Amino acid sequence: MAQFVPADPFDLVIFGGTGDLSQRKLLPALFHRDRDGQFSDGSRIFAVSRGGMAQEEFIGLVRQALARKLHADEFDGATWQRFSRRLFHYRLDVTTADGWDGLGAALKQEPDHIRVFYLATLPSLYGASAGNLARAGLIDSRSRIVLEKPIGADYASARAINDDVCRVFHESQVYRIDHYLGKETVQNLAALRFANSLFEPLWRHAAVDHVQITVAEDLGTGNRAGFYERTGALRDMVQNHMLQLLCLVAMEPPLSLDHEELRNEKIKVLKALRPITPDTVKQVTVRGQYVAGAVGGELVKGYREELEQDGPSDTETFVAIKAEIDNWRWADTPFYLRTGKRLPRKASEIVLQFRPVAHSIFPEDSGDLVPNRLVIRLQPNEGVQLGIVTKEPGPGSFRLRSLPLNLSFTETYPLRYPDAYERLLMEVLRGNPALFMHREEVERAWQWIDGIIESWRDRRMKTQDYVAGTWGPTDSVRLLDRDGREWRNPSEE
Ligand code: BG6
């Protein structure tokens, strides 16, 4: 049984507190944690926005956001009474030095509370916001700042943001969110790798032919098309979520789960990523953009129609990459990464494809001597599946068949899977940085991504159309086919 220990009394200030992230993720996550008794008496939540709003109106907005997000049996009146008393709305433009008096006075009423400043705003405002927090005299040695991704749009802008923020906060006070690190199944990767002695001897190039990481989404870009047009799948998903997954699969065993140990191992992987250059970019990357099609039996628009933009767009909504890690463990074992919008279903999984047996002792007609495969399903149907070759029972000739050894977390633990933000917010409040990104991780990841973007530009590599509801452009299939391999597409079961 999970044990719930309350966090020390805190004041959490959310800039962009009435925005989309706040309504969809942060406030529902905070409600759940309060419901489980993790907030001490007197802890407060301040939502700050530029447009003013009366306190009652704000409380109504939160109530509606919870109604949209929570199941009826997750909402209870007693928790709401307690939770709503913690909520305060302030009108403030975080980018200006004026107008901080009200918030400042409220925070100073509780000097012993831990102060957490959550920037759910545009990344371009992070630097100015940190500066104004300092000018308003609101930062002490126990204060923390939380930065949402994306941290910048390339290496230079990420560095500038980190420099600005770190002029005011010590690196140990900065919590950079990649919400994938808060997902239960992503954390379970550490248990799978380091709590089972079975895998470690095999977790390397000698046994693993290649690794596939797929993060597929069935949704399109919807009302985020404007943001997405400036961003694209490489920056939106690969720079952060996918490289974090790659690091967790590829890293050496850390000495402990201590944040510095974990981070050092992840940084070593990022350093070992082979740069992608104009000479290699066409062989090792694929860019795609969806056109109208059908997803889950429903007709959907193409990306350009969603964007409602005159003229062409060359933003990728799909990307596939053959990544090579130049170190002893992974030499000659590529990591194929693939992510996209409007694919057939929402599914994220990691596949370790093992090498074939060294020599077959079976007659040629004995069926499939399929190499073993370990599939780690991150979402949905969280679990692990290992393909094992067996003999089909019965008389007659020897027939081989690969069968799945299937572990379903959702069946084994029929619990509510907490949203990643619930864990991440608690880790910030408790001051545990292990699930957050150090500035060096962010900057190294950008350096590798910048190399790809520059190479695309250099080679004028355009997006290829793919029909919504398919697994991406044909070049994605070719990317593996060229190496005599093929993608495993997450199935519906
Ligand atoms: C976000 C991206 O970081 O992750 C979105 O900006 C994407 O474009 C989302 O849809 C996917 O997250 P999840 O948790 O739904 O897999």
Side-chain angles (χ1 to χ4, degrees), residues 55-68:
Q55 173 74 4
E56 308 79 69
E57 197 185 339
F58 170 62
I59 298 289
L61 181 101
V62 179
R63 180 70 188 83
Q64 279 169 18
L66 296 182
R68 277 195 299 276

Side-chain angles (χ1 to χ4, degrees), residues 317-388:
T317 60
F318 174 99
V319 64
I321 301 173
K322 177 182 177 183
E324 304 265 8
I325 302 172
D326 288 328
N327 66 13
W328 195 280
R329 188 181 282 265
W330 295 114
D332 285 333
T333 296
F335 280 57
Y336 297 97
L337 314 178
R338 155 177 82 155
T339 185
K341 303 268 184 206
R342 287 289 189 224
L343 300 186
R345 63 189 63 92
K346 182 168 175 69
S348 303
E349 60 180 40
I350 298 170
V351 177
L352 270 82
Q353 177 66 62
F354 290 93
R355 296 195 187 276
V357 291
H359 166 71
S360 170
I361 60 167
F362 303 100
E364 271 190 10
D365 60 355
S366 31
D368 288 345
L369 192 48
V370 185
N372 304 113
R373 184 156 68 186
L374 180 70
V375 180
I376 305 164
R377 294 188 305 263
L378 302 178
Q379 59 184 29
N381 307 328
E382 292 79 356
V384 175
Q385 182 181 305
L386 181 62
I388 304 272

Side-chain angles (χ1 to χ4, degrees), residues 162-228:
N162 285 332
D163 285 347
D164 285 347
V165 171
C166 289
R167 254 190 286 281
V168 178
F169 289 90
H170 187 267
E171 174 64 29
S172 63
Q173 297 174 287
V174 185
Y175 290 71
R176 297 178 191 81
I177 291 222
D178 181 319
H179 78 277
Y180 267 54
L181 296 179
K183 288 183 190 264
E184 283 287 338
T185 37
V186 172
Q187 287 174 29
N188 208 7
L189 269 175
L192 186 75
R193 283 195 64 189
F194 307 123
N196 296 285
S197 58
L198 185 67
F199 295 116
E200 176 51 22
L202 302 176
W203 210 268
R204 60 193 65 243
H205 70 105
V208 180
D209 176 73
H210 71 277
V211 178
Q212 299 182 13
I213 304 180
T214 297
V215 177
E217 295 185 86
D218 53 351
L219 295 179
T221 53
N223 57 10
R224 289 170 78 225
F227 154 81
Y228 201 84

Side-chain angles (χ1 to χ4, degrees), residues 420-431:
Y421 278 94
E422 292 180 42
R423 176 172 297 276
L424 295 174
L425 282 161
M426 288 313 298
E427 298 294 293
V428 179
L429 295 173
R430 292 190 197 289

